[in-house]
């Protein structure tokens, strides 16, 4: 009983172990695998990162001319690092210690829209390519 009273008094004056999330973020442990940083200038658009990503947190959308645009959803990412390992261009994808910012309406991407666009734009690009091939 005495022990319990002492501990209770101690707890009353000790710093809380929790933080006031989302105003305050807990510091990541050393070597924490966080969000992915992408450098478009190094990318060769091989789409290997999209293929290996388990939850589908990377998607490419296509333009008519076949150029691709990288999209990343940090809220879907499980921080496994598979995309970094699969990427043939060193430094194009890196995994930093930062976590995704607190989710607000402005930070969450319209991922359903991106996924739809990824599928539709790829189909349109493939169809256009087939058409061009038939003509030539
Ligand atoms: S770290 Fe894993 S989950 Fe996140 S984007 Fe890369 S492959 Fe996908
Ligand atoms: S694997 Fe690397 S080089 Fe290939 S598309 Fe992804 S980021 Fe670009």
């Amino acid at each position: 009983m005495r022990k319990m009273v002492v501990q209770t008094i101690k707890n009353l004056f000790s710093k809380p172990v929790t933080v006031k999330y989302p105003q305050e973020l807990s510091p990541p442990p050393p070597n924490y695998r966080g969000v992915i940083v992408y450098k478009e200038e190094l990318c060769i658009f091989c789409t290997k990162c999209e293929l290996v990503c388990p939850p589908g947190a990377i998607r490419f959308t296509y333009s008519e001319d076949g150029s691709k645009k990288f999209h990343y959803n940090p809220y879907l990412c499980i921080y496994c690092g598979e995309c970094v390992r699969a990427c043939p261009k060193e430094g194009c994808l890196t995994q930093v210690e930062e976590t995704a910012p607190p989710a607000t309406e402005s930070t969450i991407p319209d991922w359903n829209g991106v996924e739809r666009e990824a599928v539709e734009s790829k189909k349109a690009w493939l169809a256009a390519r087939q058409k061009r091939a038939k003509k030539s």
Side-chain angles (χ1 to χ4, degrees):
M1 177 73 179
R2 191 171 163 266
K3 245 183 164 182
M4 203 175 79
V5 174
V6 171
Q7 190 58 51
T8 308
I9 293 168
K10 260 189 186 173
N11 286 350
L12 280 174
F13 296 100
S14 59
K15 231 179 125 196
V17 289
T18 52
V19 293
K20 288 179 182 164
Y21 183 86
Q23 290 86 5
E24 221 180 290
L25 300 179
S26 38
N31 299 324
Y32 180 80
R33 292 190 307 192
V35 290
I36 297 300
V37 175
Y38 169 71
K39 284 192 182 149
E40 191 180 29
E41 64 276 18
L42 295 177
C43 186
I44 55 170
F45 299 97
C46 62
T47 71
K48 278 188 183 171
C49 50
E50 183 188 43
L51 291 172
V52 299
C53 179
I58 292 177
R59 284 280 181 258
F60 281 93
T61 49
Y62 291 65
S63 300
E64 269 183 32
D65 61 2
S67 58
K68 297 164 200 158
K69 189 167 184 264
F70 177 91
H71 302 268
Y72 170 61
N73 186 345
Y75 303 103
L76 205 54
C77 180
I78 55 170
Y79 307 158
C80 62
E82 280 305 309
C83 54
V84 179
R85 281 186 282 278
C87 180
K89 291 293 283 181
E90 206 183 324
C92 184
L93 290 177
T94 42
Q95 196 162 20
V96 296
E97 283 188 358
E98 279 160 43
T99 53
T104 61
E105 260 179 47
S106 60
T107 55
I108 299 176
D110 170 22
W111 201 246
N112 286 341
V114 171
E115 286 190 326
R116 262 196 311 274
E117 196 190 336
V119 173
E120 295 305 322
S121 63
K122 191 173 182 179
K123 269 192 211 162
W125 168 66
L126 285 171
R129 197 174 69 163
Q130 274 174 356
K131 219 174 169 182
R132 276 198 302 273
K134 271 184 195 164
K135 272 187 191 168
S136 57

